Amino acid sequence: MSDPRDRQSDAPPLLEVVGLKMQYAVSKAGFGKPQVLRAVDGVSFTLTRGETLSIVGESGCGKSSVARLIMRLEEPTAGRILIHGRRIDHLSARALRPMRRQVQIVFQDPFSSLNPRMKVRDILAEPVRNFRLAAGASAVRRRVADLLAQVRLPASAGERFPHEFSGGQRQRIGIARALAAEPEAIVCDEAVSALDLSVKAQIVNLLQDLQRDLGLALLFISHDLAIVEHITHRVAVMYLGQSVEMADRRTIFGGPRHPYTAALLSAVPIPDPFVKRKRILLSGDVPSPINPPAGCRFHTRCPFVFDRCRTEIPALRQLREGHVAACHLNDLPDQPLARAAEILGEAGRPIEVQS
């Protein structure tokens, strides 16, 4: 039986991001000119109805900045953000208001994202009233009760304040608040990273059930590749503000074509003492986004670096349908680095140890 997470969608994009950039001016000591920090530098992707796209990478790679830009919590320096083909990146606050219903967000910290002075019923009722999704007090109360039931909380939870709940319960309230606007897509910005392992699994299963029942699209931002493999349809890998590889779940986890993707996968622990995988160790630290390296931004840490990597920026090009990667290794003939390509493929899956 085929896994639905491996199926490719032919539906038109619900959300489309094209060449998205976010730059910050950083003050410099003395009288020098302000420096530019490139938090997001030319990111593009699409998200269709009912699909989960995961954005992964190390801390500081720009994942959460992409989420904030999509939600217009910050203004992009360049690029386009489209919902159902309509640009929203240049809309005024007034014109953007009806579009906010389409895409909602669940934040990493469920406590700081909920108003501590409001009861849960009022937190959930606020978007219902703001978007005029129910007429009259009784209709609003019914909608709040339905939202609590959707996230598997009792109706009595509406009479309590956020501090009276556990972290997992508060995140359920955050999800219910996102659902209150009846969105087509939800951005999950590290939505499970602050939770215990067992609670993570419950929240991920809840998101999958809601996606199945409501046809939601999920933009799932995370550094936890085990969770990503469980929930996602496609994966976008970011490094230092840029996309370096994007493909369906099976391709990324089974045969990555960028050394950084392979290194991330090789570092995922395997809970089986009789199984090991080849580990790709990266040297050095992540370069500063204020002064990124010339050529490929990953070349200072790449175990397969060669001269071209140091001078020429690799293009994000299509290797096959639905799979793009930005790595000069993919342009090489079989020799002399055919073994490097083999290692990239092997890093995605564990290697059994013969007893």
Side-chain angles (χ1 to χ4, degrees), residues 245 250-263 265 319 323 330 341 343-349:
E245 187 167 12
R250 185 180 294 274
T251 298
I252 288 290
F253 284 90
R257 296 291 295 274
H258 193 285
Y260 179 63
T261 309
L265 294 174
L319 305 179
H323 187 187
N330 295 313
I343 294 174
L344 294 188
E346 289 174 357
R349 285 295 170 207

Side-chain angles (χ1 to χ4, degrees), residues 3 8 24-25 57 85 104 114 148 154 175 217 220 234-235 255 267 281 332 351:
D3 191 326
Q8 296 296 309
Y24 301 94
Q104 291 287 300
L114 299 174
L148 289 171
I175 293 170
F220 193 80
R234 290 190 298 136
V235 182
L281 298 177
L332 293 174
I351 300 170

Side-chain angles (χ1 to χ4, degrees), residues 89-110:
D89 52 273
H90 65 295
L91 294 180
S92 66
R94 183 183 181 90
L96 182 64
R97 180 180 170 82
M99 302 298 291
R100 287 195 181 278
R101 268 197 62 199
Q102 307 299 319
V103 182
Q104 291 287 300
I105 187 168
V106 177
F107 294 99
Q108 177 178 0
D109 185 352

Side-chain angles (χ1 to χ4, degrees), residues 14-90:
L14 185 163
L15 171 69
E16 186 174 6
V17 172
V18 182
L20 195 62
K21 294 186 179 183
M22 183 64 231
Q23 298 177 352
Y24 301 94
V26 180
S27 299
K28 187 177 181 181
F31 299 97
K33 294 182 179 180
Q35 296 177 308
V36 176
L37 187 153
R38 298 171 177 84
V40 180
D41 198 8
V43 171
S44 300
F45 59 82
T46 60
L47 180 68
T48 59
R49 180 174 173 81
E51 178 190 31
T52 300
L53 171 67
S54 295
I55 302 179
V56 303
E58 293 171 287
S59 297
C61 72
K63 307 186 299 295
S64 291
S65 294
V66 169
R68 295 180 66 82
L69 291 172
I70 291 171
M71 300 304 301
R72 288 287 302 275
L73 300 176
E74 296 186 30
E75 297 301 314
T77 305
R80 292 178 292 154
I81 305 169
L82 302 94
I83 296 177
H84 288 305
R86 180 184 177 187
R87 286 188 66 176
I88 66 165
D89 52 273
H90 65 295

Side-chain angles (χ1 to χ4, degrees), residues 289-306:
I290 297 176
N291 186 27
C296 174
R297 292 188 177 183
F298 185 59
H299 86 257
T300 58
R301 305 174 71 200
C302 181
F304 309 120
V305 62
F306 59 106

Side-chain angles (χ1 to χ4, degrees), residues 138-355:
S138 60
V140 172
R141 285 196 298 270
R142 286 195 299 270
R143 179 60 180 150
V144 169
D146 289 343
L147 289 167
L148 289 171
Q150 280 185 302
V151 297
R152 298 163 193 168
L153 287 175
S156 59
E159 302 302 318
R160 295 155 63 188
F161 290 92
H163 72 270
E164 300 180 71
F165 296 90
S166 67
Q169 290 172 325
R170 283 196 290 263
Q171 198 59 291
R172 290 174 188 269
I173 296 167
I175 293 170
R177 182 180 58 182
L179 293 175
E182 299 179 5
E184 295 185 66
I186 294 180
V187 178
C188 299
D189 184 14
E190 298 278 10
V192 298
S193 64
L195 305 176
D196 293 339
L197 187 59
S198 61
V199 180
K200 278 185 185 183
Q202 294 171 15
I203 297 299
V204 167
N205 290 336
L206 173 63
L207 288 170
Q208 288 183 306
D209 291 344
L210 292 171
Q211 182 178 53
R212 183 193 63 237
D213 297 341
L214 304 176
L216 289 171
L218 299 177
L219 183 63
F220 193 80
I221 295 169
S222 179
H223 61 271
D224 189 330
L225 292 177
I227 295 289
V228 166
E229 184 175 17
H230 177 72
I231 196 174
T232 201
H233 296 93
R234 290 190 298 136
V235 182
V237 183
M238 286 186 66
Y239 182 78
L240 211 61
Q242 296 181 331
S243 294
V244 296
E245 187 167 12
M246 187 183 307
D248 62 87
R249 177 185 67 93
R250 185 180 294 274
T251 298
I252 288 290
F253 284 90
R257 296 291 295 274
H258 193 285
Y260 179 63
T261 309
L264 288 179
L265 294 174
S266 73
V268 176
I270 301 173
D272 187 338
F274 299 103
V275 175
K276 70 176 182 179
R277 72 169 81 218
K278 290 190 176 181
R279 182 76 185 273
I280 297 177
L281 298 177
L282 301 180
S283 60
D285 297 322
V286 179
S288 169
I290 297 176
N291 186 27
C296 174
R297 292 188 177 183
F298 185 59
H299 86 257
T300 58
R301 305 174 71 200
C302 181
F304 309 120
V305 62
F306 59 106
D307 289 343
R308 184 182 176 190
C309 306
R310 299 183 177 92
T311 58
E312 183 180 337
I313 299 173
L316 191 67
R317 68 178 185 85
Q318 183 167 302
L319 305 179
R320 64 179 183 83
E321 185 177 359
H323 187 187
V324 295
C327 182
H328 293 312
L329 283 174
N330 295 313
D331 296 332
L332 293 174
D334 292 342
Q335 297 297 329
L337 291 180
R339 180 57 184 157
E342 292 178 14
I343 294 174
L344 294 188
E346 289 174 357
R349 285 295 170 207
I351 300 170
E352 292 188 6
V353 179
Q354 299 296 326
S355 58

